[in-house]
Amino acid sequence: MKKIINVLVLVISILPNLCAQSNDPADKAYHVPDDVIIHRRFYLDLDKGNKLTIELTDINDLKKISNIDSLLRVFIDDITPLKDSLADPLTSKRIDYAVDGRGRKKIRLQQFQPEGENYLVTDDGLSGLKIAQDTINITGVISDPLKASQKISLTKPRYYHLVFNLNKLSELMDYMNGPLKEKIETLQAEVDNRWPLILGTSSHYLAKDKTISADKPKGFTKASSGDMVEGYVAVNIQNYKNYFVPSFSVGAKLVLSNRDRTFKWEPGLMWEPHFLFARDSAGKMKTFRNDFLTLTYGQ
């Protein structure tokens, strides 16, 4: 049996920006900065088709938005001067509301006319029908954050990002004074417990409250993937000089990331035995094996 050690060095570049959102400068003023990584994302079903998406830099920041009723009251007070601009019942509206680390606030209001004319038929005749939801986009910096639960940037500020999709802006009031606060408290208490798979999808729901879901258990995002070990198993079929050569591969890769996720180091090791079948001089079928060890390195 021959043993061959083959060293393969792979240099892989990765994109340093893992959270790019928009190239429009006007949008950037209301979004989480591109170089800040959102590590957790949750979806809350608020009934009647209304939803809330919660994005956080770290799961411990959930405690900072548990006073969501107070946060929303401030938001409502700040947009009250715009009520006349929000009077058209048929336009879909988007309000962007951003608070920076100094407490300075920015507000942007956009309204979109529906395509065509939509009507609801009732016994009293036709009435205009709104078919698109309104959006409230709230972004803020976490002040005096708690110690992070995972390896994140030590220099960049931590953010929360709330996105409400509502049939009408006024329905935001229906979830204040308790309902939203209770859901966030449940999420905070149960986030490390069971997240069963939603059948037919790749998403998961919180076992304690099925109205809370996430793309991955505990709300992890793709960008949040830090240090880990990835396994690798494969079965291969090859032809070598008219010989049938089956093989299999077994290996592992260690992924090491820096805090800002601008670099990853990925050393790996894979074992791959190749089997070759041939007859000896006496015509007897024999099995020969070559073993390959492959060392990989990616950055």
Side-chain angles (χ1 to χ4, degrees):
M1 181 184 66
K2 289 185 184 179
K3 289 188 176 179
I4 301 175
I5 298 178
N6 182 26
V7 179
L8 176 64
V9 179
L10 298 179
V11 179
I12 303 173
S13 62
I14 64 171
L15 291 175
N17 184 352
L18 297 178
C19 290
Q21 298 178 9
S22 171
N23 292 324
D24 187 342
D27 288 339
K28 290 180 182 293
Y30 297 94
H31 286 170
V32 175
D34 292 346
D35 60 348
V36 172
I37 297 173
I38 293 297
H39 290 87
R40 306 283 184 126
R41 182 180 296 113
F42 304 97
Y43 308 99
L44 279 61
D45 185 351
L46 304 179
D47 74 33
K48 298 186 291 187
N50 296 331
K51 296 183 182 299
L52 166 62
T53 301
I54 299 176
E55 295 184 333
L56 301 167
T57 309
D58 186 82
I59 191 60
N60 286 345
D61 297 334
L62 197 59
K63 186 174 182 178
K64 289 290 187 175
I65 63 167
S66 60
N67 62 340
I68 191 165
D69 287 345
S70 298
L71 187 154
L72 293 179
R73 287 192 192 98
V74 173
F75 164 76
I76 291 172
D77 288 344
D78 288 340
I79 67 167
T80 297
L82 301 174
K83 62 182 181 180
D84 290 340
S85 300
L86 301 171
D88 190 336
L90 299 182
T91 60
S92 61
K93 303 164 185 68
R94 177 186 175 100
I95 299 177
D96 294 300
Y97 180 85
V99 184
D100 65 18
R102 300 181 186 179
R104 297 177 300 184
K105 304 169 186 177
K106 293 175 287 188
I107 301 174
R108 178 175 67 174
L109 170 62
Q110 295 175 290
Q111 296 196 64
F112 306 94
Q113 294 291 337
E115 293 186 8
E117 297 180 352
N118 304 278
Y119 299 96
L120 180 66
V121 181
T122 65
D123 293 338
D124 297 326
L126 295 177
S127 59
L129 177 64
K130 177 182 176 181
I131 60 173
Q133 286 188 311
D134 296 330
T135 301
I136 299 174
N137 180 59
I138 301 176
T139 303
V141 176
I142 299 290
S143 59
D144 300 320
L146 301 173
K147 182 179 178 181
S149 66
Q150 61 191 102
K151 188 171 72 175
I152 64 174
S153 175
L154 297 177
T155 58
K156 294 182 175 63
R158 284 153 60 172
Y159 282 81
Y160 66 85
H161 181 207
L162 309 177
V163 181
F164 290 88
N165 297 109
L166 305 168
N167 297 321
K168 294 187 297 183
L169 290 175
S170 59
E171 292 182 355
L172 180 65
M173 304 290 292
D174 298 342
Y175 307 110
M176 297 173 61
N177 302 318
L180 263 182
K181 181 177 174 63
E182 290 175 6
K183 282 185 178 290
I184 291 177
E185 289 176 346
T186 298
L187 175 58
Q188 185 179 354
E190 301 291 331
V191 68
D192 290 325
N193 293 331
R194 293 180 58 246
W195 287 83
L197 184 69
I198 300 174
L199 296 182
T201 74
S202 59
S203 299
H204 299 256
Y205 66 87
L206 182 63
K208 188 72 173 181
D209 186 343
K210 291 186 177 181
T211 66
I212 301 174
S213 61
D215 298 320
K216 293 185 178 182
K218 303 181 183 181
F220 285 109
T221 65
K222 291 181 179 179
S224 70
S225 299
D227 300 346
M228 70 178 105
V229 177
E230 294 182 349
Y232 177 84
V233 178
V235 176
N236 315 301
I237 298 176
Q238 304 170 77
N239 181 281
Y240 174 70
K241 293 186 177 180
N242 294 324
Y243 288 104
F244 172 64
V245 185
S247 67
F248 66 89
S249 306
V250 178
K253 179 174 68 174
L254 179 63
V255 180
L256 301 172
S257 304
N258 67 343
R259 287 183 176 272
D260 291 322
R261 304 295 193 271
T262 53
F263 286 96
K264 288 183 181 180
W265 297 269
E266 301 181 350
L269 183 65
M270 185 172 62
W271 171 51
E272 185 173 339
H274 289 213
F275 299 91
L276 187 144
F277 306 94
R279 296 185 183 277
D280 60 13
S281 58
K284 186 177 180 180
M285 182 65 72
K286 288 194 172 184
T287 302
F288 303 89
R289 194 179 91 189
N290 284 338
D291 290 73
F292 294 85
L293 285 176
T294 304
L295 175 66
T296 66
Y297 177 78
Q299 178 176 309

